Every structure is written in C-alpha cells, then in structure tokens.
C-alpha cells in the first residue's frame, strides 16, 4: 500500500509500485497531475495548486490496488519553517522540530501575547503541530487577573497544565455567562466549569444604594402645595378631597424632598411618623417592617398575625439614575371578621433621576382608623401605622398617610467622612 502524499505547490514526487500500472484516475486534476513511467511500475506525481485529491491505481488485470490521498499545500514545509523561525526564533524557550511532513513548535511562551501569536500562526498552516504552553508564572498571573476582572464571589480561576479553568458557584446563569465571556477576553481557550445554583441574590461587586423612607401624616390642605406630580389621572381635580377616600392606590414623584419636608413640619402641616434608612446592593432586595404581631385565640390555640407597615424595594443603579421596583403593604386588624386582616398593597416600578423620590398614596383609608380598637392596649404600638391611628386629624379625615421613598447611590467613603466631620 502506498502512503498518503503531502506536497507543496510546484513540488513533485515519484511513486514506485510492485505491480505494473494499468488504469489511473485522479478526482481533481486541478490539484495535481501524473505521468506513468515506461516500466509501468512507477508514476510521477506533480502538485499544481492548493487542495485535496485522490489518486487511484489499477493493475494490468483491472484490479484496484492503491487509493492514495493527495494533499497539496500552498506553502512548502521549508518555507513555513523559515517563516516560523523568523517570527519566533528570538524566543529562547521555543524550539522547532520537523517530523515527517509536519513542524512541531514546542516550549513555553514567556508572555500571553507571544502565546497568542504562536496560536494564530499555527492555525494558518495544517502542517504545524502547536505544543507551546504558557510559562507557569505567566499563567498564574493571568488567572489572578481574570479572577479580579470577574470580581464575583464564589467564582474562582486556576490553571491546570496549560489550561485556564473557571470553577466555583454562580447564583444565576447570566452571572456564569458573564464570567466566562470576561475570561475569554484573556484566554479564548479557557474552560468553564462553574456550577449554577439559582438564588435570590446577586453576588459580586455592585454599587450600594441608600433608601430613605418617610412615613408622613400630611394635612389634606397642604397636599397639593407639596408639589407632588401624581401619575396622570390619579389625583382628583376638585379641591381638598384628599386621596385617602379615592379607594385606589396612587403613585407620584417629587423633587427636592427634604426641604419640602422641613417646610411642612415648620408650618405644622405635617409630621414624619417614621424614617427608616436601608442600605442594599444594586440588584438585591431590601425590606422593612414596622408593626406588631397580634395574638388571636381560636380553639384553645394562639395564632399571631403581623399588623403594620411593610416595604420591599429592589433598586438597580443605571448610571446616576436608579430603576426601582417597589412593594408597600399596610395591614390592620379587621373590625368585621374575627382574626381577619385588612391588607392594602401597592406594587410599582419607577425610573428615578438623581434627586427624585417616589410617592405612594391612597394605601390607607381614613375609615380604617376604627380598626385600631382591635389591637390589645398592652401591646407596644409605636410604629408609623399606630401613631397615625392615634392622630385626631387622621381620625377626622383632615390628614393623609403619604409614603416617600428617596433612593440615592451611596458613597461609603464620602458618607463616612461626612459623619466623622459631623461628630467632630
């Protein structure tokens, strides 16, 4: 059996057989041509153009004896070797070994750029076998840089032989994909072995968001002058009706919130019932509850139900703005059903420019004040809801409950410096 042939364009070779050659066939005469010698036991093969063809030989009796694959390369092995030495010969840790019809490039690349250049060069020529690896110190430095660029807790980067491997745990598929894409910028051949475990949080370095929440009782007569921009069609056109009796939840927006709160308080037209501050990482969920657990006795057992105010917020930083998902729930004991809870809930999303606050109204009706009598007197009721229920203005429908949520991107260093200056 005659061996497969690998030739460079313009190169020729003579094949010798043990039999007299009869018929000859070539699948692609554009790639190569042939000439049978006078003794009929040898054939001259000439490479014409880059490509692949098959040479089939029959003997005098018409029996097929050899099927020979023929590959023609555009550049000769000698030319490729010369180009390789010119490009990488100055790297002392790289060697070139010619074996049969291939060139083996072996050794350690001293830098990622050299490693990529050798990879790119080897991909151009099928005659090259690339056995180059990154030097161990360089590979270790590369893994450190990749892990720092990914910056996601739970995801680690290490090297095994000459491969960069991503491993550990990601809490979403998108986090895993993001880490892999970042790693491929440094090493396109890296291996992704990250385990994905779906979770309700987003590990990693993200901006911190401060959420200042103001539960306020505001006089109905002062509500319009507060400058709230309610969503279109949500606020009554008539004067003084307020929002507590509309039977629907409202959303609005206001700028310059803090000066307006101070002005309302100075004029005696409103008060802050409660002012919690939450810190949460961009993309994560923050929640606040203010209230009590009310006991109910039924069939010789005691059950506790939460009564009060609950706010859940999930901010996402978008440049200097904040995309906010908000849920507010107010629950109170039902005056009609023993053990029942009246619940008012508002769910919304809002895109807030820097300095803008979202306003929630209509989540509690003035007529709900009578449910306060359902709460045992010996329970601590200092939360916003129960403070409001004790208000004579609210009992007589002269005031409203309005909730303001003011988000801002927190700067821990600036905030710490300001707090220190204030303390000093």
């Amino acid at each position: 059996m005659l061996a497969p042939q690998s030739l460079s364009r313009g190169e020729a070779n003579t094949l010798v057989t043990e039999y007299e050659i009869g018929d000859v066939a070539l699948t692609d005469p554009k790639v190569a041509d042939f000439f049978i010698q006078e003794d009929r036991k040898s054939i001259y093969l000439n490479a014409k153009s880059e490509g692949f063809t098959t040479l089939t030989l029959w003997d005098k009796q018409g029996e097929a004896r050899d099927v020979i694959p023929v590959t023609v390369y555009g550049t000769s092995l000698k030319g490729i070797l010369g180009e390789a030495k010119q490009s990488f010969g100055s790297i002392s840790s790289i060697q070139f070994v010619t074996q049969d019809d291939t060139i083996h490039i072996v050794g350690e690349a001293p830098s990622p750029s050299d490693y990529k250049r050798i990879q790119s060069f080897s991909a151009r020529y099928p005659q090259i076998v690339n056995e180059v690896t990154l030097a161990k110190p360089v590979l270790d430095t590369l893994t450190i840089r990749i892990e720092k660029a990914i910056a996601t807790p739970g995801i680690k980067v290490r090297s095994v032989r000459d491969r960069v491997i991503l491993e550990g745990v990601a809490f979403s598929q998108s986090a895993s994909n993001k880490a892999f894409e970042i790693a491929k910028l440094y090493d396109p051949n890296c291996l992704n072995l990250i385990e994905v475990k779906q979770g309700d949080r987003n590990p990693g370095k993200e901006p911190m968001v401060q959420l200042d929440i103001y539960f306020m009782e505001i006089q109905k007569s002062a509500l319009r002058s507060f400058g709230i921009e309610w969503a279109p069609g949500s606020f009554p056109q008539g004067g003084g009706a307020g929002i507590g009796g509309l039977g629907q939840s409202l959303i609005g927006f206001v700028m310059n919130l803090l000066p307006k709160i101070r002005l309302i308080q100075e004029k005696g037209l409103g008060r802050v019932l409660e002012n919690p501050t939450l810190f949460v990482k961009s993309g994560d969920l923050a929640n606040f509850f203010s209230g009590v657990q009310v006991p109910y006795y039924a069939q010789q057992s005691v059950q506790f139900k939460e009564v009060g105010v609950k706010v859940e917020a999930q901010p996402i930083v978008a440049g200097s703005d904040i995309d906010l998902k908000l849920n507010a729930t107010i629950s109170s004991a039902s005056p009609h059903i023993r053990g029942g809870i009246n619940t008012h809930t508002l769910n919304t999303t809002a895109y807030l420019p820097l300095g803008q606050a979202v306003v929630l109204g209509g989540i509690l009706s003035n007529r709900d004040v009578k449910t306060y009598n359902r709460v045992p007197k010996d329970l601590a009721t200092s939360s916003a809801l129960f403070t409001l229920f004790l208000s004579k203005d609210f009992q007589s429908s002269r005031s409203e409950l309005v909730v303001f949520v003011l988000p801002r991107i927190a700067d821990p260093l600036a905030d710490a410096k300001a707090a220190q200056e204030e303390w000093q």
Side-chain angles (χ1 to χ4, degrees):
M1 294 289 293
L2 295 177
Q5 299 294 300
S6 297
L7 303 171
S8 300
R9 186 174 54 193
E11 188 178 2
N13 192 24
T14 299
L15 307 179
V16 179
T17 66
E18 296 177 352
Y19 53 87
E20 289 189 8
I21 300 172
D23 292 331
V24 178
L26 200 62
T27 57
D28 191 349
K30 293 181 180 179
V31 175
D33 57 16
F34 62 89
F35 177 75
I36 304 173
Q37 304 290 351
E38 291 183 3
D39 61 0
R40 307 293 297 184
K41 287 192 174 182
S42 58
I43 184 170
Y44 179 83
L45 185 63
N46 177 47
K48 295 168 60 178
S49 62
E50 187 174 359
F52 177 82
T53 187
T54 301
L55 179 69
T56 305
L57 304 180
W58 286 265
D59 60 19
K60 284 284 190 177
Q61 288 72 38
E63 181 182 352
R65 300 295 294 269
D66 283 291
V67 178
I68 308 165
V70 179
T71 303
V72 177
Y73 299 108
T75 306
S76 67
L77 206 64
K78 183 179 179 181
I80 295 173
L81 181 59
E83 186 180 352
K85 288 182 176 180
Q86 184 178 3
S87 300
F88 313 112
S90 60
I91 304 176
S92 58
S93 57
I94 299 297
Q95 296 179 342
F96 308 95
V97 179
T98 303
Q99 182 179 357
D100 297 328
D101 297 321
T102 58
I103 298 173
H104 294 253
I105 305 180
V106 298
E108 291 186 341
S111 70
S113 61
D114 288 329
Y115 182 71
K116 290 180 180 179
R117 286 197 304 123
I118 294 172
Q119 280 186 320
S120 177
F121 179 82
S122 301
R124 288 164 49 194
Y125 300 108
Q127 302 101 307
I128 292 181
V129 177
N130 182 15
E131 299 177 9
V132 175
T133 61
L134 265 175
K136 187 65 167 62
V138 177
L139 196 59
D140 291 341
T141 302
L142 181 63
T143 58
I144 293 172
R145 288 181 178 177
I146 294 174
E147 187 169 315
K148 186 177 180 180
I150 293 173
T152 300
I155 297 180
K156 303 295 181 182
V157 183
R158 65 186 180 100
S159 63
V160 177
R161 299 182 67 178
D162 63 335
R163 295 294 299 275
V164 172
I165 295 179
L166 278 66
E167 59 184 6
V169 177
F171 292 90
S172 69
Q173 188 61 54
S174 61
S176 175
N177 294 342
K178 177 182 176 181
F180 188 38
E181 292 300 321
I182 292 174
K184 287 196 295 184
L185 295 176
Y186 292 84
D187 180 8
N189 298 319
C190 62
L191 185 61
N192 185 7
L193 299 181
I194 298 173
E195 180 183 359
V196 177
K197 291 183 177 179
Q198 296 295 336
D200 57 356
R201 50 187 308 271
N202 182 30
K205 186 178 180 180
E206 299 289 346
M208 292 295 294
V209 177
Q210 177 178 329
L211 297 167
D212 291 317
I213 305 174
Y214 296 86
F215 297 95
M216 290 196 67
E217 180 188 7
I218 301 177
Q219 296 290 325
K220 291 182 178 181
S221 59
L223 200 56
R224 286 187 178 276
S225 62
F226 206 86
I228 301 172
E229 295 183 8
W230 297 103
S234 65
F235 198 85
Q237 297 299 316
I243 59 176
L246 292 178
Q248 65 185 47
S249 299
L250 309 178
I251 180 173
F253 305 94
V254 64
M255 296 292 290
N256 301 318
L257 175 65
L258 299 184
K260 293 178 179 179
I261 289 178
R262 286 195 294 268
L263 181 62
I264 290 292
Q265 288 178 313
E266 290 172 359
K267 291 184 176 181
L269 299 175
R271 59 172 177 159
V272 177
L273 303 173
E274 200 162 359
N275 176 215
T277 297
L278 308 178
F279 287 89
V280 63
K281 188 174 64 177
S282 174
D284 282 354
L285 183 68
N287 61 75
F288 168 79
F289 175 75
S290 176
V292 295
Q293 286 191 327
V294 180
Y296 288 90
Y297 301 90
Q299 298 180 352
Q300 298 181 345
S301 65
V302 181
Q303 296 180 350
F304 289 86
K305 297 183 179 181
E306 289 185 344
V307 174
V309 183
K310 183 177 182 180
V311 175
E312 292 183 341
Q314 187 175 26
I316 298 176
V317 174
S320 61
D321 304 333
I322 294 177
D323 191 328
L324 183 64
K325 181 179 180 181
L326 196 61
N327 172 281
T329 301
I330 291 184
S331 55
S332 57
S334 172
H336 307 295
I337 303 175
R338 183 174 182 82
I341 300 294
N342 288 342
T343 302
H344 304 263
T345 301
L346 186 150
N347 293 286
T348 188
T349 58
Y351 191 89
L352 303 173
L354 179 65
Q356 188 175 62
V358 63
V359 188
L360 306 180
I363 52 178
L364 184 65
S365 171
N366 300 84
R367 59 179 175 269
D368 288 331
V369 67
K370 60 185 178 182
T371 64
Y372 175 76
N373 296 324
R374 301 284 297 172
V375 182
K377 294 181 179 180
D378 57 344
L379 289 180
T381 55
S382 58
S383 70
L385 181 62
F386 298 107
T387 302
L388 178 69
F389 281 177
L390 291 173
S391 168
K392 293 183 179 179
D393 285 336
F394 191 75
Q395 292 175 3
S396 58
S397 298
R398 292 193 298 268
S399 63
E400 305 279 2
L401 172 65
V402 182
V403 181
F404 300 92
V405 180
L406 176 62
R408 70 177 182 89
I409 302 172
D411 185 344
L413 293 178
D415 292 346
K417 184 177 180 180
Q420 185 179 23
E421 291 176 353
E422 182 179 356
W423 181 78
Q424 291 176 344

